Amino acid sequence: MSGFKPFEIIPGNPHSALVILADHAMNRVPPEYEGLGLPDEAFARHIAYDIGIEPLARGLCERLGVPGVLGCFSRLLIDPNRGEDDPTLIMKLSDGMVIPANHPLSREERERRLARFHRPYHDAVATVIAETGRRSGKAPLVISMHSFTHAWKSVPRPWHAGVLWDTDPRAAEALIERLRADPALVVGDNEPYDGALRGDTMHRHCSTTGLAHGLIEIRQDLISDDAGVEAWINRLAPILSEVTALPEMHEIELHGSRVV
């Protein structure tokens, strides 16, 4: 078995009490999984990871000097942004592509992937959040970075970015307001997805603990090259600095959830 590491912690100064996460940063699988039986080109697609998010998350952590956690395994192996009981935790079919190594899947292999990839990633997220809170003396603001395809089932998506959230409006409203201040941007409020998902990363680490949080989605064609990534680092870094400076982002508040 390889020494494959399921997460990477980006070190940073905890005193601004901001943590950046990227669940789907990478498209890797350990060599012994033999690419899950898929052709190499499958791992260049959005089904394998969030295109553009690794360099964007790294760049934001570096620019802001804050800690972050990157997922280092493909979501085709197991999806870190799903609860352990979610039926889409290990996909058998993704955007028309069958994943041979995921069907059939034994209970033993499911548990092996949880123990080797999913749980260590979430342990790392919990550790970084807790350490940031301890060292800053404040409840951290948690921002999760994702990307989405420019079209779905041949229907173009008009949004340049979206902010996903459940019932805690603190970070979401502040992020949406600042992004929409740019007249060139079309910004989705819980678009192109709904931010309420039981057991996902934000629900697990923030909604249930009272931490302010937001999930930012960027359209993939806008961050598919170095210039696009740099443009979004330049756009998001000052927004995140402003938002994390707001006192209400560092209070524990339980807002409940739209999911059980």
Side-chain angles (χ1 to χ4, degrees):
M1 185 175 290
S2 70
F4 188 95
K5 192 165 185 179
F7 61 86
E8 179 184 342
I9 294 174
I10 300 173
N13 187 330
H15 296 296
S16 63
L18 172 64
V19 174
I20 293 175
L21 307 178
D23 299 329
H24 301 141
M26 302 185 196
N27 59 359
R28 302 173 184 169
V29 297
E32 58 269 24
Y33 278 92
E34 299 179 335
L36 302 172
L38 295 167
D40 290 345
E41 54 265 27
F43 291 92
R45 295 182 57 197
H46 72 94
I47 61 173
Y49 73 123
D50 279 354
I51 293 166
I53 284 301
E54 180 186 355
L56 180 56
R58 287 188 188 279
L60 287 169
C61 287
E62 180 179 358
R63 182 76 59 87
L64 297 167
V66 301
V69 186
L70 308 180
C72 295
F73 53 93
S74 173
R75 63 174 157 213
L76 293 176
L77 188 66
I78 188 168
D79 193 333
N81 195 36
R82 296 292 184 272
E84 292 193 10
D85 59 351
D86 192 302
T88 64
L89 177 70
I90 300 174
M91 296 289 285
K92 300 176 179 66
L93 178 71
S94 184
D95 196 14
M97 178 164 280
V98 174
I99 299 91
N102 293 354
H103 182 67
L105 190 76
S106 69
R107 291 181 182 178
E108 292 78 11
E109 176 57 25
R110 181 181 183 279
E111 179 60 29
R112 186 178 298 113
R113 295 190 198 183
L114 281 166
R116 189 177 171 196
F117 308 107
H118 193 277
R119 291 173 188 151
Y121 172 75
H122 284 286
D123 288 346
V125 169
T127 296
V128 170
I129 290 173
E131 183 67 5
T132 300
R134 185 187 69 81
R135 294 180 62 189
S136 68
K138 298 186 290 187
L141 167 65
V142 181
I143 298 295
S144 184
M145 300 300 306
H146 290 255
S147 67
F148 63 95
T149 58
H150 72 281
W152 183 249
K153 299 187 185 300
S154 302
V155 178
R157 287 166 156 171
W159 310 282
H160 300 96
V163 177
L164 311 189
W165 58 293
D166 188 353
T167 54
D168 184 344
R170 289 175 290 171
E173 289 181 351
L175 291 167
I176 291 168
E177 176 186 358
R178 285 161 176 78
L179 285 165
R180 285 182 174 172
D182 184 342
L185 294 182
V186 178
V187 180
D189 180 347
N190 269 331
E191 296 286 0
Y193 310 109
D194 190 330
L197 181 62
R198 185 173 65 84
D200 74 354
T201 301
M202 293 289 90
H203 183 261
R204 175 173 180 164
H205 295 282
C206 302
S207 296
T208 60
T209 63
L211 295 180
H213 58 282
L215 190 155
I216 301 175
E217 292 264 7
I218 309 296
R219 207 173 68 202
Q220 287 170 0
D221 59 315
L222 303 177
I223 52 171
S224 60
D225 58 24
D226 292 344
V229 168
E230 186 66 18
W232 276 90
I233 292 171
N234 292 338
R235 174 178 283 121
L236 289 173
I239 290 175
L240 293 179
S241 290
E242 285 184 19
V243 172
T244 199
L246 299 172
E248 60 267 32
M249 300 301 160
H250 304 290
E251 301 292 335
I252 297 292
E253 297 181 8
L254 288 168
H255 290 256
S257 175
R258 289 184 280 123
V259 296
V260 177

